[in-house]
Amino acid sequence: MPRPLVDTETIITVALDAMEESGAGPLTARRLATRLKCSTRTLYQQMGKQEALISALLNHYFVKETPQLDPSLDWKEAIGTWARALRLAILDRPNLSRHLSTENRPALIEFTRPLLVALIAAGLTEATAVAVCRSLVHVIVSLTLGELEMQSHRYDETEIAKDHPTSLLSTDANAYERSPDGKIPPPVFVQSIHWLIGGIELQQQTQAELP
């Protein structure tokens, strides 16, 4: 008699917890099936191969974490609020978020929708708003994954060559230092978002001055 399928929501919930389990290693179909008390065949029937499962987990998680932006925020405040929300969402599920490759970036579409709406409502053209969102997603994901990496592999400045450019770059790398609870972004994150906002603002001013 074939084993019954497992509820998809249950699979996703158990898989998300298993993926972040300390010291357990990568999530495998066998390990997940053991936790669900089902066969790997049942799991494949329900969720497909590993790539499909990861995509489902990313979509589920980031849709659930989609921020609600206050309509009273101006577009610069909306970017800052949204950027911090995406960073924290990534940090809360580091093992899952490391799968945010180019192929899996569509998982962030719904997460980004409130920002797109806010930018268009603030007067940015649809094309500009979309371009801004794409750039922000790329920068924030890259910065936050870099932050995770740097926290586990810190530069030892005592072993770095003392030539001036190397020292400068090393100090910049260690600018990923953040608050103990992780909620306050590191300086490199704050500065990068500030520069992006400044560039967008300059572009808007330039376009407004065109005849």
Side-chain angles (χ1 to χ4, degrees):
M1 182 175 179
R3 297 186 181 186
L5 295 179
V6 182
D7 178 73
T8 301
E9 188 73 22
T10 299
I11 294 175
I12 288 174
T13 300
V14 172
L16 285 171
D17 290 340
M19 182 169 279
E20 302 300 335
E21 189 176 32
S22 178
L27 181 65
T28 64
R30 184 177 297 277
R31 182 158 72 89
L32 181 56
T34 299
R35 291 189 64 147
L36 290 165
K37 295 181 172 60
C38 70
S39 67
T40 53
R41 181 177 179 180
T42 297
L43 188 58
Y44 287 133
Q45 274 185 278
Q46 191 76 359
M47 302 301 298
K49 294 184 178 179
Q50 180 81 353
E51 295 81 6
L53 173 62
I54 294 298
S55 293
L57 294 177
L58 287 166
N59 279 311
H60 177 90
Y61 175 67
F62 283 104
V63 167
K64 184 180 176 183
E65 296 298 313
T66 299
Q68 300 299 314
L69 298 179
D70 187 336
S72 67
L73 297 176
D74 66 25
W75 67 269
K76 290 180 282 188
E77 293 170 327
I79 286 176
T81 299
W82 178 88
R84 289 188 294 273
L86 178 52
R87 172 183 171 270
L88 288 177
I90 292 171
L91 293 179
D92 282 346
R93 294 282 180 178
N95 292 336
L96 174 66
S97 296
R98 287 189 175 96
H99 291 279
L100 282 170
S101 62
T102 303
E103 293 78 10
N104 284 325
R105 291 287 171 86
L108 295 173
I109 288 175
E110 288 303 317
F111 192 100
T112 309
R113 190 184 299 276
L115 179 61
L116 179 64
V117 171
L119 294 177
I120 293 173
L124 276 69
T125 66
E126 186 174 291
T128 298
V130 167
V132 168
C133 287
R134 285 175 175 165
S135 294
L136 285 167
V137 165
H138 176 77
V139 169
I140 294 163
V141 170
S142 298
L143 283 170
T144 309
L145 292 182
E147 182 180 340
L148 287 172
E149 184 66 20
M150 295 301 294
Q151 288 302 308
S152 58
H153 299 92
R154 296 299 309 283
Y155 279 79
D156 182 356
E157 295 189 21
T158 63
E159 298 182 5
I160 292 174
K162 296 304 179 182
D163 65 284
H164 189 57
T166 302
S167 298
L168 287 175
L169 290 172
S170 169
T171 302
D172 183 56
N174 284 339
Y176 276 99
E177 185 67 40
R178 54 188 164 95
S179 61
D181 62 5
K183 291 184 178 179
I184 300 176
V188 69
F189 182 95
V190 176
Q191 187 65 68
S192 296
I193 301 303
H194 177 74
W195 279 333
L196 281 168
I197 289 174
I200 297 163
E201 192 169 30
L202 179 61
Q203 182 190 50
Q204 291 300 104
Q205 291 173 353
T206 302
Q207 290 178 344
E209 292 170 0
L210 293 175

